[in-house]
Amino acid sequence: MARRIPESHGPVRYGPPLPGDGLPVLPELSARLAAAAARPESEPVGGGGALLDAACGHWDRRGLSAVPDRVVAAPGAPALLLALTAALGGDVLVPRPCATWWGPYARLLGRPVFHVATPAECGGVPDPFALLETVRRVRAEGGDPRLLVLSVADDPTATVAPPEVLHETVEAAAAEGLHLVSDETWRDTRHAPYDSVLLSPAEMLPERVTVVTDLAGALLPPGWPAAIARFPAGEVGADLHARVLDVLTALGARVAGPVAAAAAYALTEPEPVLARLAASVALHTHLAAALHTAVVEAGALALPPQAGRHLYVDLGPLRPALSAQGVGDAQDLEDFLTARLGLPAPGGHRFGDDLGAPRVRLSTGDLLGGTDEERAACLGSPAPWELPHVRRALSHVTSVFDDLRDDARRGEPSR
Protein backbone atom coordinates (compact mmCIF):
# COMPACT_ATOMS: atom_id res chain seq x y z
CA MET A 1 0.00 0.00 0.00
CA ALA A 2 2.97 2.35 0.26
CA ARG A 3 2.88 5.26 -2.16
CA ARG A 4 5.42 4.74 -4.95
CA ILE A 5 5.49 8.30 -6.33
CA PRO A 6 4.14 11.58 -4.90
CA GLU A 7 1.48 11.83 -7.62
CA SER A 8 -0.06 8.43 -6.92
CA HIS A 9 -2.75 9.57 -4.49
CA GLY A 10 -5.71 7.23 -4.73
CA PRO A 11 -4.92 5.06 -7.79
CA VAL A 12 -7.80 2.87 -8.91
CA ARG A 13 -5.41 -0.08 -8.93
CA TYR A 14 -5.40 -0.03 -5.14
CA GLY A 15 -8.91 -0.56 -3.89
CA PRO A 16 -9.10 -1.78 -0.28
CA PRO A 17 -10.92 -5.13 -0.24
CA LEU A 18 -14.02 -5.79 1.80
CA PRO A 19 -13.03 -6.26 5.44
CA GLY A 20 -12.63 -10.00 5.92
CA ASP A 21 -13.61 -11.86 9.08
CA GLY A 22 -10.07 -13.16 9.63
CA LEU A 23 -11.39 -16.66 10.41
CA PRO A 24 -10.78 -20.05 8.78
CA VAL A 25 -13.19 -21.12 6.05
CA LEU A 26 -16.21 -22.98 7.39
CA PRO A 27 -15.60 -26.72 6.74
CA GLU A 28 -19.13 -27.26 5.40
CA LEU A 29 -18.53 -24.56 2.79
CA SER A 30 -15.20 -26.09 1.79
CA ALA A 31 -16.89 -29.48 1.41
CA ARG A 32 -19.56 -28.03 -0.93
CA LEU A 33 -16.95 -26.29 -3.03
CA ALA A 34 -14.75 -29.38 -3.22
CA ALA A 35 -17.67 -31.62 -4.16
CA ALA A 36 -18.48 -29.35 -7.12
CA ALA A 37 -14.88 -28.91 -8.26
CA ALA A 38 -15.01 -31.88 -10.67
CA ARG A 39 -18.05 -30.60 -12.58
CA PRO A 40 -17.00 -29.57 -16.12
CA GLU A 41 -20.06 -27.50 -16.98
CA SER A 42 -20.14 -23.73 -16.58
CA GLU A 43 -22.62 -21.87 -14.41
CA PRO A 44 -25.00 -19.88 -16.66
CA VAL A 45 -24.64 -16.11 -16.86
CA GLY A 46 -26.82 -14.69 -14.11
CA GLY A 47 -26.70 -17.89 -12.05
CA GLY A 48 -28.17 -21.37 -12.26
CA GLY A 49 -31.51 -22.49 -10.89
CA ALA A 50 -30.24 -23.74 -7.53
CA LEU A 51 -28.37 -20.50 -6.82
CA LEU A 52 -31.27 -18.26 -7.85
CA ASP A 53 -33.78 -20.28 -5.82
CA ALA A 54 -31.53 -20.02 -2.78
CA ALA A 55 -31.20 -16.27 -3.32
CA CYS A 56 -34.99 -15.91 -3.48
CA GLY A 57 -35.35 -17.78 -0.19
CA HIS A 58 -32.67 -15.58 1.38
CA TRP A 59 -34.63 -12.43 0.53
CA ASP A 60 -38.01 -13.93 1.37
CA ARG A 61 -36.78 -14.50 4.94
CA ARG A 62 -35.91 -10.80 5.10
CA GLY A 63 -39.30 -9.59 4.01
CA LEU A 64 -38.37 -8.96 0.38
CA SER A 65 -40.30 -11.30 -1.88
CA ALA A 66 -38.27 -12.47 -4.87
CA VAL A 67 -38.72 -14.69 -7.90
CA PRO A 68 -35.94 -16.24 -10.02
CA ASP A 69 -36.67 -14.13 -13.12
CA ARG A 70 -35.99 -10.97 -11.08
CA VAL A 71 -32.74 -12.21 -9.52
CA VAL A 72 -29.21 -12.30 -10.94
CA ALA A 73 -25.95 -13.69 -9.56
CA ALA A 74 -22.49 -12.50 -10.56
CA PRO A 75 -18.85 -12.99 -9.50
CA GLY A 76 -18.89 -10.20 -6.92
CA ALA A 77 -20.92 -7.06 -6.33
CA PRO A 78 -18.59 -4.87 -8.46
CA ALA A 79 -19.61 -6.81 -11.58
CA LEU A 80 -23.27 -6.23 -10.72
CA LEU A 81 -22.78 -2.50 -10.12
CA LEU A 82 -20.88 -2.17 -13.39
CA ALA A 83 -23.71 -3.91 -15.25
CA LEU A 84 -26.38 -1.82 -13.50
CA THR A 85 -24.56 1.42 -14.23
CA ALA A 86 -24.16 0.48 -17.89
CA ALA A 87 -27.80 -0.56 -18.16
CA LEU A 88 -29.28 2.51 -16.47
CA GLY A 89 -27.14 5.16 -18.14
CA GLY A 90 -26.75 8.70 -16.86
CA ASP A 91 -24.74 10.14 -13.99
CA VAL A 92 -24.22 8.43 -10.64
CA LEU A 93 -24.75 9.81 -7.13
CA VAL A 94 -23.07 8.30 -4.06
CA PRO A 95 -22.69 9.37 -0.43
CA ARG A 96 -19.40 10.77 0.86
CA PRO A 97 -17.65 8.61 2.03
CA CYS A 98 -18.76 5.42 0.31
CA ALA A 99 -17.55 1.90 -0.38
CA THR A 100 -14.33 2.05 -2.35
CA TRP A 101 -15.71 0.04 -5.29
CA TRP A 102 -18.76 2.21 -6.03
CA GLY A 103 -17.06 5.00 -7.96
CA PRO A 104 -14.46 3.38 -10.26
CA TYR A 105 -17.02 1.41 -12.26
CA ALA A 106 -18.97 4.49 -13.24
CA ARG A 107 -15.77 6.29 -14.22
CA LEU A 108 -14.71 3.23 -16.21
CA LEU A 109 -17.88 3.72 -18.26
CA GLY A 110 -17.21 7.44 -18.63
CA ARG A 111 -20.03 8.38 -16.25
CA PRO A 112 -19.60 11.29 -13.84
CA VAL A 113 -19.83 10.42 -10.14
CA PHE A 114 -21.14 13.02 -7.71
CA HIS A 115 -20.56 12.66 -3.98
CA VAL A 116 -23.27 13.86 -1.58
CA ALA A 117 -22.75 14.73 2.08
CA THR A 118 -24.23 12.36 4.68
CA PRO A 119 -26.12 13.22 7.89
CA ALA A 120 -24.18 13.67 11.12
CA GLU A 121 -25.59 10.49 12.70
CA CYS A 122 -24.68 7.97 10.00
CA GLY A 123 -22.94 7.26 6.74
CA GLY A 124 -24.04 5.30 3.70
CA VAL A 125 -27.13 7.42 2.99
CA PRO A 126 -27.03 10.95 1.56
CA ASP A 127 -28.56 13.80 3.50
CA PRO A 128 -31.91 14.35 1.73
CA PHE A 129 -31.52 18.12 1.37
CA ALA A 130 -27.96 17.77 0.10
CA LEU A 131 -29.22 15.14 -2.36
CA LEU A 132 -31.90 17.45 -3.76
CA GLU A 133 -29.44 20.31 -4.06
CA THR A 134 -26.88 18.11 -5.83
CA VAL A 135 -29.41 16.71 -8.30
CA ARG A 136 -30.70 20.16 -9.20
CA ARG A 137 -27.18 21.59 -9.55
CA VAL A 138 -26.07 18.71 -11.78
CA ARG A 139 -29.12 19.13 -14.02
CA ALA A 140 -28.61 22.88 -14.18
CA GLU A 141 -25.09 22.22 -15.44
CA GLY A 142 -26.36 19.86 -18.15
CA GLY A 143 -25.88 16.57 -16.31
CA ASP A 144 -28.26 13.63 -16.23
CA PRO A 145 -28.36 12.03 -12.75
CA ARG A 146 -30.22 8.71 -12.85
CA LEU A 147 -28.67 6.38 -10.27
CA LEU A 148 -28.21 6.71 -6.52
CA VAL A 149 -26.13 4.06 -4.75
CA LEU A 150 -26.56 3.85 -0.99
CA SER A 151 -26.07 1.45 1.91
CA VAL A 152 -28.19 1.19 5.05
CA ALA A 153 -25.47 -0.83 6.84
CA ASP A 154 -22.38 0.97 5.64
CA ASP A 155 -18.83 0.45 4.56
CA PRO A 156 -16.72 2.39 5.49
CA THR A 157 -18.47 4.09 8.43
CA ALA A 158 -19.89 0.89 10.03
CA THR A 159 -23.13 2.72 10.83
CA VAL A 160 -26.77 1.76 10.29
CA ALA A 161 -29.03 4.49 8.94
CA PRO A 162 -32.08 5.24 11.13
CA PRO A 163 -35.37 4.48 9.34
CA GLU A 164 -36.50 8.11 9.49
CA VAL A 165 -33.32 9.33 7.80
CA LEU A 166 -33.56 6.63 5.15
CA HIS A 167 -37.22 7.43 4.52
CA GLU A 168 -36.48 11.10 3.87
CA THR A 169 -33.63 10.24 1.51
CA VAL A 170 -35.71 7.71 -0.41
CA GLU A 171 -38.54 10.24 -0.74
CA ALA A 172 -36.12 12.81 -2.11
CA ALA A 173 -34.69 10.31 -4.59
CA ALA A 174 -38.17 9.27 -5.72
CA ALA A 175 -39.18 12.90 -6.24
CA GLU A 176 -36.23 13.33 -8.58
CA GLY A 177 -36.93 10.11 -10.51
CA LEU A 178 -33.72 8.36 -9.50
CA HIS A 179 -33.22 4.61 -9.53
CA LEU A 180 -31.70 3.32 -6.29
CA VAL A 181 -29.16 0.56 -5.82
CA SER A 182 -29.21 -0.58 -2.20
CA ASP A 183 -25.95 -2.29 -1.22
CA GLU A 184 -27.02 -4.63 1.59
CA THR A 185 -23.76 -6.54 1.91
CA TRP A 186 -23.47 -5.80 5.64
CA ARG A 187 -27.09 -6.02 6.78
CA ASP A 188 -26.59 -9.41 8.46
CA THR A 189 -23.52 -8.25 10.40
CA ARG A 190 -25.29 -5.75 12.67
CA HIS A 191 -23.82 -5.73 16.15
CA ALA A 192 -27.11 -5.37 18.02
CA PRO A 193 -29.84 -6.42 15.58
CA TYR A 194 -32.59 -6.41 18.19
CA ASP A 195 -31.79 -2.91 19.43
CA SER A 196 -32.35 -1.18 16.10
CA VAL A 197 -34.58 -1.37 13.05
CA LEU A 198 -33.04 -1.93 9.64
CA LEU A 199 -35.27 -1.20 6.68
CA SER A 200 -34.34 -1.78 3.07
CA PRO A 201 -35.11 1.01 0.60
CA ALA A 202 -36.84 -1.73 -1.42
CA GLU A 203 -39.51 -1.84 1.29
CA MET A 204 -40.13 1.90 0.88
CA LEU A 205 -39.86 2.30 -2.89
CA PRO A 206 -40.27 -1.22 -4.30
CA GLU A 207 -40.71 -0.17 -7.93
CA ARG A 208 -37.40 1.75 -8.18
CA VAL A 209 -34.90 -0.11 -5.98
CA THR A 210 -32.46 -2.86 -6.95
CA VAL A 211 -30.88 -4.65 -3.98
CA VAL A 212 -27.30 -5.91 -4.26
CA THR A 213 -25.60 -8.18 -1.72
CA ASP A 214 -22.00 -9.34 -1.89
CA LEU A 215 -21.87 -12.69 -0.11
CA ALA A 216 -18.39 -11.89 1.22
CA GLY A 217 -20.08 -9.66 3.78
CA ALA A 218 -21.65 -12.43 5.84
CA LEU A 219 -21.68 -15.82 4.12
CA LEU A 220 -18.60 -16.54 1.99
CA PRO A 221 -14.84 -15.95 2.19
CA PRO A 222 -13.74 -12.83 0.28
CA GLY A 223 -11.69 -14.97 -2.11
CA TRP A 224 -14.80 -16.77 -3.38
CA PRO A 225 -16.48 -14.00 -5.41
CA ALA A 226 -20.26 -14.22 -5.55
CA ALA A 227 -23.02 -11.64 -5.26
CA ILE A 228 -26.75 -11.47 -5.91
CA ALA A 229 -29.11 -8.74 -7.11
CA ARG A 230 -32.87 -8.47 -6.68
CA PHE A 231 -34.74 -6.36 -9.23
CA PRO A 232 -38.10 -4.58 -8.84
CA ALA A 233 -41.28 -6.22 -10.01
CA GLY A 234 -43.10 -4.88 -13.06
CA GLU A 235 -41.89 -3.69 -16.45
CA VAL A 236 -39.10 -1.49 -15.07
CA GLY A 237 -37.58 -4.42 -13.22
CA ALA A 238 -38.02 -6.82 -16.15
CA ASP A 239 -36.32 -4.45 -18.59
CA LEU A 240 -33.45 -3.71 -16.20
CA HIS A 241 -32.99 -7.41 -15.43
CA ALA A 242 -32.69 -8.18 -19.16
CA ARG A 243 -30.21 -5.37 -19.80
CA VAL A 244 -28.04 -6.39 -16.84
CA LEU A 245 -27.94 -9.96 -18.15
CA ASP A 246 -26.83 -8.58 -21.53
CA VAL A 247 -23.95 -6.71 -19.91
CA LEU A 248 -22.91 -9.68 -17.78
CA THR A 249 -22.99 -11.87 -20.88
CA ALA A 250 -20.76 -9.43 -22.76
CA LEU A 251 -18.35 -9.46 -19.84
CA GLY A 252 -18.44 -13.25 -19.46
CA ALA A 253 -19.22 -12.59 -15.80
CA ARG A 254 -20.19 -16.03 -14.53
CA VAL A 255 -19.99 -17.27 -10.95
CA ALA A 256 -17.52 -20.16 -10.89
CA GLY A 257 -19.36 -23.48 -10.59
CA PRO A 258 -17.78 -24.61 -7.31
CA VAL A 259 -18.32 -21.17 -5.77
CA ALA A 260 -21.95 -21.22 -6.95
CA ALA A 261 -22.47 -24.54 -5.16
CA ALA A 262 -21.05 -23.13 -1.92
CA ALA A 263 -23.04 -19.92 -2.32
CA ALA A 264 -26.32 -21.79 -2.89
CA TYR A 265 -25.68 -23.81 0.27
CA ALA A 266 -24.80 -20.71 2.32
CA LEU A 267 -27.87 -18.80 1.11
CA THR A 268 -30.17 -21.49 2.47
CA GLU A 269 -28.70 -20.59 5.90
CA PRO A 270 -28.28 -24.05 7.42
CA GLU A 271 -27.32 -24.34 11.07
CA PRO A 272 -23.51 -24.45 10.56
CA VAL A 273 -23.62 -21.25 8.49
CA LEU A 274 -25.83 -19.42 10.98
CA ALA A 275 -23.70 -20.58 13.91
CA ARG A 276 -20.50 -19.35 12.24
CA LEU A 277 -22.14 -16.03 11.34
CA ALA A 278 -23.34 -15.52 14.92
CA ALA A 279 -19.87 -16.30 16.30
CA SER A 280 -18.19 -13.99 13.80
CA VAL A 281 -20.57 -11.11 14.50
CA ALA A 282 -20.13 -11.48 18.27
CA LEU A 283 -16.35 -11.51 17.93
CA HIS A 284 -16.16 -8.49 15.66
CA THR A 285 -18.71 -6.58 17.70
CA HIS A 286 -16.41 -6.85 20.71
CA LEU A 287 -13.29 -5.96 18.72
CA ALA A 288 -14.93 -2.99 17.02
CA ALA A 289 -16.08 -1.65 20.39
CA ALA A 290 -12.54 -2.04 21.76
CA LEU A 291 -11.08 -0.25 18.74
CA HIS A 292 -13.63 2.53 19.08
CA THR A 293 -12.73 3.00 22.73
CA ALA A 294 -9.03 3.12 21.91
CA VAL A 295 -9.29 5.79 19.21
CA VAL A 296 -11.84 7.95 21.02
CA GLU A 297 -9.88 7.93 24.29
CA ALA A 298 -6.85 9.03 22.28
CA GLY A 299 -8.79 12.06 21.06
CA ALA A 300 -9.76 10.89 17.57
CA LEU A 301 -13.34 10.91 16.31
CA ALA A 302 -15.42 7.93 15.19
CA LEU A 303 -19.10 7.11 15.13
CA PRO A 304 -19.90 4.05 17.27
CA PRO A 305 -19.69 0.97 15.02
CA GLN A 306 -23.03 -0.76 14.46
CA ALA A 307 -22.31 -3.25 11.68
CA GLY A 308 -19.51 -4.94 9.81
CA ARG A 309 -15.89 -5.55 10.71
CA HIS A 310 -14.45 -2.09 10.48
CA LEU A 311 -14.28 1.40 11.95
CA TYR A 312 -13.94 4.81 10.28
CA VAL A 313 -11.68 7.18 12.19
CA ASP A 314 -11.14 10.93 11.87
CA LEU A 315 -7.76 11.96 13.31
CA GLY A 316 -8.34 15.69 12.83
CA PRO A 317 -7.92 16.45 16.56
CA LEU A 318 -4.48 14.79 16.43
CA ARG A 319 -3.30 16.80 13.45
CA PRO A 320 -0.46 18.59 15.34
CA ALA A 321 1.28 15.29 16.09
CA LEU A 322 0.63 14.05 12.57
CA SER A 323 1.95 17.23 10.98
CA ALA A 324 5.16 16.88 12.95
CA GLN A 325 5.59 13.49 11.28
CA GLY A 326 5.07 14.94 7.81
CA VAL A 327 1.49 13.67 7.52
CA GLY A 328 -0.34 16.23 5.41
CA ASP A 329 -3.19 14.31 3.84
CA ALA A 330 -5.06 11.00 3.88
CA GLN A 331 -2.46 9.26 1.71
CA ASP A 332 0.31 10.30 4.09
CA LEU A 333 -1.83 9.11 7.00
CA GLU A 334 -2.42 5.77 5.28
CA ASP A 335 1.31 5.29 4.84
CA PHE A 336 2.10 6.42 8.39
CA LEU A 337 -0.50 4.32 10.21
CA THR A 338 0.03 1.24 8.07
CA ALA A 339 3.70 1.33 9.04
CA ARG A 340 3.06 2.10 12.72
CA LEU A 341 0.21 -0.34 13.25
CA GLY A 342 1.59 -3.09 11.04
CA LEU A 343 -1.97 -3.37 9.68
CA PRO A 344 -3.71 -1.98 6.59
CA ALA A 345 -5.15 1.49 7.26
CA PRO A 346 -6.58 2.72 3.93
CA GLY A 347 -7.09 6.47 3.86
CA GLY A 348 -10.44 8.16 3.49
CA HIS A 349 -9.60 9.28 -0.06
CA ARG A 350 -9.99 5.63 -1.08
CA PHE A 351 -13.66 5.97 -0.10
CA GLY A 352 -14.34 9.23 -1.92
CA ASP A 353 -13.60 11.40 1.10
CA ASP A 354 -11.54 14.59 0.94
CA LEU A 355 -7.85 13.91 0.39
CA GLY A 356 -6.99 16.62 2.91
CA ALA A 357 -9.07 15.06 5.68
CA PRO A 358 -7.03 12.76 7.98
CA ARG A 359 -9.38 9.77 7.99
CA VAL A 360 -8.80 6.03 7.77
CA ARG A 361 -10.71 2.76 7.89
CA LEU A 362 -9.48 0.15 10.35
CA SER A 363 -10.57 -3.49 10.06
CA THR A 364 -11.11 -5.77 13.04
CA GLY A 365 -10.26 -8.94 11.10
CA ASP A 366 -6.64 -7.81 11.02
CA LEU A 367 -6.46 -8.23 14.81
CA LEU A 368 -7.07 -11.98 14.78
CA GLY A 369 -3.55 -13.12 14.04
CA GLY A 370 -1.30 -13.86 11.11
CA THR A 371 -1.29 -17.67 11.18
CA ASP A 372 -3.92 -20.35 10.66
CA GLU A 373 -3.33 -21.55 14.21
CA GLU A 374 -4.01 -18.13 15.72
CA ARG A 375 -7.15 -17.62 13.66
CA ALA A 376 -8.43 -21.10 14.48
CA ALA A 377 -7.86 -20.41 18.17
CA CYS A 378 -10.31 -17.53 17.92
CA LEU A 379 -13.04 -19.98 16.95
CA GLY A 380 -12.30 -22.42 19.76
CA SER A 381 -12.18 -19.84 22.54
CA PRO A 382 -15.27 -18.74 24.54
CA ALA A 383 -13.67 -15.26 24.77
CA PRO A 384 -11.39 -14.91 21.73
CA TRP A 385 -10.70 -11.24 22.50
CA GLU A 386 -8.86 -12.46 25.61
CA LEU A 387 -6.42 -14.61 23.65
CA PRO A 388 -2.83 -13.37 24.05
CA HIS A 389 -2.25 -12.57 20.36
CA VAL A 390 -5.55 -10.67 20.08
CA ARG A 391 -4.86 -8.73 23.27
CA ARG A 392 -1.37 -7.86 22.00
CA ALA A 393 -2.79 -6.57 18.74
CA LEU A 394 -5.37 -4.41 20.52
CA SER A 395 -2.74 -3.19 22.97
CA HIS A 396 -0.43 -2.20 20.14
CA VAL A 397 -3.19 -0.22 18.36
CA THR A 398 -4.07 1.49 21.64
CA SER A 399 -0.42 2.36 22.23
CA VAL A 400 0.00 3.92 18.78
CA PHE A 401 -3.04 6.15 19.23
CA ASP A 402 -2.11 7.03 22.82
CA ASP A 403 1.33 8.13 21.62
CA LEU A 404 -0.30 10.39 19.05
CA ARG A 405 -2.55 11.88 21.72
CA ASP A 406 0.35 12.52 24.08
CA ASP A 407 2.51 14.04 21.37
CA ALA A 408 -0.34 16.25 20.18
CA ARG A 409 -0.68 17.60 23.71
CA ARG A 410 3.03 18.26 23.98
CA GLY A 411 3.38 19.50 20.43
CA GLU A 412 6.14 16.97 19.82
CA PRO A 413 6.60 14.35 17.09
CA SER A 414 5.31 10.88 17.92
CA ARG A 415 7.69 8.13 18.87
Side-chain angles (χ1 to χ4, degrees), residues 56-376:
C56 290
H58 174 83
W59 275 311
D60 285 341
R61 290 188 294 275
R62 285 153 183 80
L64 296 174
S65 61
V67 292
D69 64 357
R70 291 293 187 277
V71 174
V72 162
L80 287 173
L81 187 56
L82 173 63
L84 282 161
T85 305
L88 286 164
D91 303 339
V92 180
L93 300 162
V94 297
R96 183 191 299 276
C98 67
T100 186
W101 52 275
W102 288 1
Y105 298 94
R107 289 191 286 268
L108 182 65
L109 294 167
R111 306 282 170 73
V113 178
F114 298 93
H115 290 266
V116 186
T118 55
E121 62 264 45
C122 68
V125 176
D127 176 86
F129 297 104
L131 175 63
L132 291 172
E133 179 182 351
T134 302
V135 169
R136 290 165 186 169
R137 173 177 57 81
V138 171
R139 286 178 176 153
E141 295 173 354
D144 182 22
R146 298 187 192 178
L147 172 61
L148 170 62
V149 187
L150 50 74
S151 180
V152 181
D154 184 45
D155 172 22
T157 66
T159 57
V160 176
E164 59 273 15
V165 172
L166 179 64
H167 184 73
E168 292 176 0
T169 299
V170 169
E171 280 192 333
E176 297 299 333
L178 302 177
H179 189 91
L180 279 66
V181 170
S182 176
D183 176 11
E184 301 188 4
T185 295
W186 300 103
R187 70 170 291 160
D188 293 329
T189 66
R190 284 177 295 154
H191 298 173
Y194 301 109
D195 294 342
S196 61
V197 176
L198 185 147
L199 291 179
S200 169
E203 298 177 68
M204 302 178 179
L205 192 66
E207 69 278 7
R208 298 192 69 86
V209 177
T210 298
V211 178
V212 171
T213 299
D214 196 305
L215 303 189
L219 297 176
L220 289 183
W224 300 5
I228 52 176
R230 172 194 179 272
F231 295 83
E235 293 184 7
V236 170
D239 182 57
L240 183 57
H241 176 267
R243 284 184 285 157
V244 164
L245 282 176
D246 287 342
V247 176
L248 293 175
T249 300
L251 294 173
R254 293 176 170 84
V255 181
V259 173
Y265 170 75
L267 283 166
T268 63
E269 298 176 293
E271 192 279 332
V273 169
L274 292 180
R276 168 60 71 86
L277 178 58
S280 175
V281 170
L283 170 59
H284 289 285
T285 295
H286 187 97
L287 294 177
L291 266 185
H292 183 260
T293 297
V295 300
V296 170
E297 288 185 350
L301 305 174
L303 289 170
Q306 298 173 295
R309 305 183 282 263
H310 49 282
L311 186 72
Y312 198 59
V313 185
D314 184 346
L315 283 84
L318 303 178
R319 195 183 288 271
L322 295 171
S323 297
Q325 289 288 331
V327 175
D329 60 24
Q331 178 65 60
D332 295 332
L333 181 60
E334 175 183 299
D335 297 341
F336 174 79
L337 279 183
T338 297
R340 289 300 176 95
L341 296 173
L343 304 170
H349 61 304
R350 309 290 187 185
F351 307 96
D353 220 334
D354 295 330
L355 177 62
R359 299 176 186 135
V360 294
R361 186 190 71 185
L362 303 177
S363 299
T364 52
D366 296 318
L367 302 172
L368 298 183
T371 68
D372 292 340
E373 291 76 13
E374 288 177 336
R375 290 187 286 267

Side-chain angles (χ1 to χ4, degrees), residues 320-322 324-325 403-404 406-415:
L322 295 171
Q325 289 288 331
D403 285 348
L404 284 172
D406 295 343
D407 293 334
R409 289 173 178 174
R410 290 193 301 264
E412 301 173 357
S414 90
R415 295 183 290 278

